[in-house]
Amino acid sequence: MVRKIPKTSRQWIRSLLFVAALVLFLCSAVSVFILISLKKTLLANTVNTAEFTKNTIDANLLEMQKDVFGLDLHPVTVHIKKINARVDSYTSEYYALADQLQNYKNIHAVIAGIYVHFPNAGMIIGNLGCCSSESYYNLEPHRPISRE
């Protein structure tokens, strides 16, 4: 048995369904607008974060490059570069340079260690001190030996 719905009830149901559909459509439109706005904001934040990170890394690398150029012009470095024979004893100047390298390492948190190899003098000066090339490579066997 099919029961018939009166005409007035059908009109009320139809108008309520129309209002509900209109409200759902408006909610969907607002949700789509919010999602598009969030997507644009997220993209802008990502670009800003990437730009900030790039600028920070560039500034740190520029500062380290200045330190490297200063180290290259350091009087002890210039003196050691001119040596053509192996150095057997280390002077206090060499250890002062090692202390300066330790200071560079302490200033820049991204630097794990600084080592300068002087192949003609057969020595390495680093943030931990001075030693001969052979001693350094014996202490650090995981590092490849470059004999160029």
Side-chain angles (χ1 to χ4, degrees):
M1 247 173 109
V2 176
R3 190 169 169 192
K4 243 185 154 174
I5 301 174
K7 186 175 184 179
T8 55
S9 295
R10 280 187 280 164
Q11 287 176 344
W12 272 97
I13 292 173
R14 188 180 301 146
S15 63
L16 286 175
L17 287 176
F18 177 74
V19 170
L22 184 63
V23 168
L24 287 175
F25 175 75
L26 289 176
C27 287
S28 298
V30 170
S31 296
V32 167
F33 174 74
I34 290 173
L35 285 175
I36 290 172
S37 297
L38 284 175
K39 181 180 175 184
K40 288 179 182 177
T41 304
L42 182 65
L43 184 62
N45 285 343
T46 303
V47 168
N48 290 339
T49 302
E51 187 68 26
F52 174 76
T53 304
K54 177 187 165 292
N55 289 340
T56 302
I57 290 172
D58 286 346
N60 285 337
L61 288 176
L62 185 62
E63 185 66 32
M64 283 188 266
Q65 185 179 19
K66 289 178 186 176
D67 291 341
V68 168
F69 287 145
L71 178 64
D72 198 35
L73 298 175
H74 194 279
V76 176
T77 307
V78 173
H79 171 72
I80 296 174
K81 284 182 181 178
K82 292 179 182 177
I83 296 175
N84 287 327
R86 297 188 69 74
V87 175
D88 293 328
S89 62
Y90 306 119
T91 65
S92 62
E93 296 170 336
Y94 298 162
Y95 289 105
L97 179 61
D99 289 339
Q100 187 173 1
L101 293 176
Q102 181 63 37
N103 290 338
Y104 287 154
K105 180 185 172 291
N106 291 339
I107 290 171
H108 302 290
V110 295
I111 297 176
I114 304 172
Y115 302 96
V116 182
H117 184 221
F118 299 99
N120 291 343
M123 65 185 290
I124 292 177
I125 298 179
N127 60 301
L128 298 178
C130 306
C131 63
S132 67
S133 299
E134 291 79 17
S135 297
Y136 173 75
Y137 290 122
N138 288 335
L139 292 174
E140 300 286 339
H142 63 279
R143 297 180 188 267
I145 297 176
S146 174
R147 302 285 182 177
E148 297 175 8

